[in-house]
Amino acid sequence: MDTLWLFPQNKFMVLFLSFNLFIVSIVGDTMTPTKSIVDGQILISSDGTFELGFFSPGDSNNRYLGIHYRGTPDKTVAWVANRISPLNGSMGVLNLTGDGNLVLLNSTGYIIWSTGTTNAINPVAQLLDSGNLVLIERTTKKLLWQSFDHPGNTLLPGMKLGWDLRTNLNRYLTSWKSSSDPSPGDYYYKLHTDAVPELVLWRGFVPIYRTGPWNGGGLV
Ligand SMILES: *[C@@H]1O[C@H](CO)[C@@H](O)[C@H](O)[C@H]1NC(C)=O
Ligand SMILES: *[C@@H]1O[C@H](CO)[C@@H](O)[C@H](O)[C@H]1NC(C)=O
Ligand SMILES: *[C@@H]1O[C@H](CO)[C@@H](O)[C@H](O)[C@H]1NC(C)=O
């Protein structure tokens, strides 16, 4: 069963799915190269709205690193790092390298996901109150990477869809395959730019919902 639900709420849409999470300890809202996050530890945004940690969705035994919205009883998932590369029977660890690459390793030290960033000086990862995980240079404040540029199935206030000319990324939503598998399913929600730009919900190659022409200003 595909799961992509869009709830129009003023000028944004939010999608939530259920999961179970084991919480052990909170390690603040930032992460530096000397600090790792292992399964059971979480980062919490400073106002407590979002957390970053490991979880198993639905009936899955796989572990994923994700950002969860703490305001709902079931702590719904807002973003998943290793959507297509689950940790299979292995405890993961999130490390930040000294030159600014945020890497997710399995228990044998194999990199299963990374931000691919490099050449940074004094990098720090921070989970913001918006639910955005940002990787910045502490001194210059230069933005190296942000989770909002890599949407999953959830659009949070402050996220934008469509092309980002700075990063040359086309940001769009894709459904989960099922409530136990966050890998991309059949549905995606994407800015269509052939004629007048508009957001279109697709199932495979079939458009099934259109928002009407888009004013180019983003959703928020
Ligand atoms: C991850 O970071 C910890 C310390 O922060 C370090 O001990 C460990 O070796 C790192 N793991 C890898 C695979 O780089
Ligand atoms: C996880 O490992 C088990 C046992 O090796 C295997 O049967 C299963 O297919 C693996 N699952 C994934 C998602 O790699
Ligand atoms: C870590 O990932 C590598 C590559 O997929 C795999 O060969 C290895 O078995 C994994 N380690 C564990 C403990 O799952």
Side-chain angles (χ1 to χ4, degrees):
M1 187 187 71
D2 279 272
T3 48
L4 177 72
W5 300 94
L6 301 169
F7 298 107
Q9 287 184 357
N10 299 326
K11 288 193 277 179
F12 58 86
M13 282 160 289
V14 181
L15 164 68
F16 290 132
L17 289 162
S18 307
F19 72 102
N20 301 311
L21 178 70
F22 317 123
I23 297 172
V24 178
S25 66
I26 297 167
V27 291
D29 72 341
T30 55
M31 179 178 171
T32 57
T34 54
K35 207 158 81 173
S36 2
I37 294 186
V38 297
D39 201 322
Q41 292 180 323
I42 57 172
L43 285 185
I44 294 193
S45 66
S46 68
D47 74 354
T49 303
F50 289 96
E51 69 185 43
L52 173 81
F54 292 90
F55 71 106
S56 294
D59 303 330
S60 174
N61 291 319
N62 288 329
R63 301 296 280 169
Y64 294 87
L65 178 75
I67 294 172
H68 320 291
Y69 185 69
R70 309 185 85 220
T72 50
D74 54 357
K75 291 198 181 149
T76 43
V77 183
W79 181 78
V80 181
N82 54 320
R83 273 185 97 173
I84 54 169
S85 38
L87 283 155
N88 185 5
S90 148
M91 294 281 274
V93 55
L94 183 69
N95 270 15
L96 178 58
T97 65
D99 65 347
N101 196 8
L102 194 59
V103 294
L104 180 59
L105 306 144
N106 72 9
S107 58
T108 44
Y110 187 90
I111 297 180
I112 65 158
W113 173 88
S114 83
T115 56
T117 40
T118 183
N119 293 324
I121 295 158
N122 212 349
V124 56
Q126 185 174 13
L127 181 60
L128 304 181
D129 292 337
S130 58
N132 194 5
L133 179 67
V134 296
L135 192 54
I136 54 172
E137 281 190 341
R138 196 199 291 268
T139 35
T140 61
K141 299 276 187 274
K142 184 178 152 199
L143 179 68
L144 305 164
W145 178 92
Q146 57 180 345
S147 61
F148 273 19
D149 281 339
H150 304 272
N153 66 354
T154 306
L155 191 63
L156 293 172
M159 281 175 82
K160 288 176 179 162
L161 298 180
W163 285 98
D164 181 333
L165 298 177
R166 181 181 57 83
T167 54
N168 200 31
L169 285 171
N170 188 9
R171 297 160 302 188
Y172 58 95
L173 301 179
T174 45
S175 63
W176 285 21
K177 223 166 221 157
S178 73
S179 57
S180 302
D181 181 359
S183 67
D186 284 344
Y187 290 87
Y188 56 104
Y189 192 61
K190 194 168 187 175
L191 189 69
H192 188 69
T193 52
D194 280 357
V196 180
E198 65 176 329
L199 284 161
V200 180
L201 178 65
W202 299 81
R203 175 162 196 199
F205 295 108
V206 183
I208 59 176
Y209 173 79
R210 292 171 184 272
T211 56
W214 190 60
N215 68 10
L219 290 166
V220 282

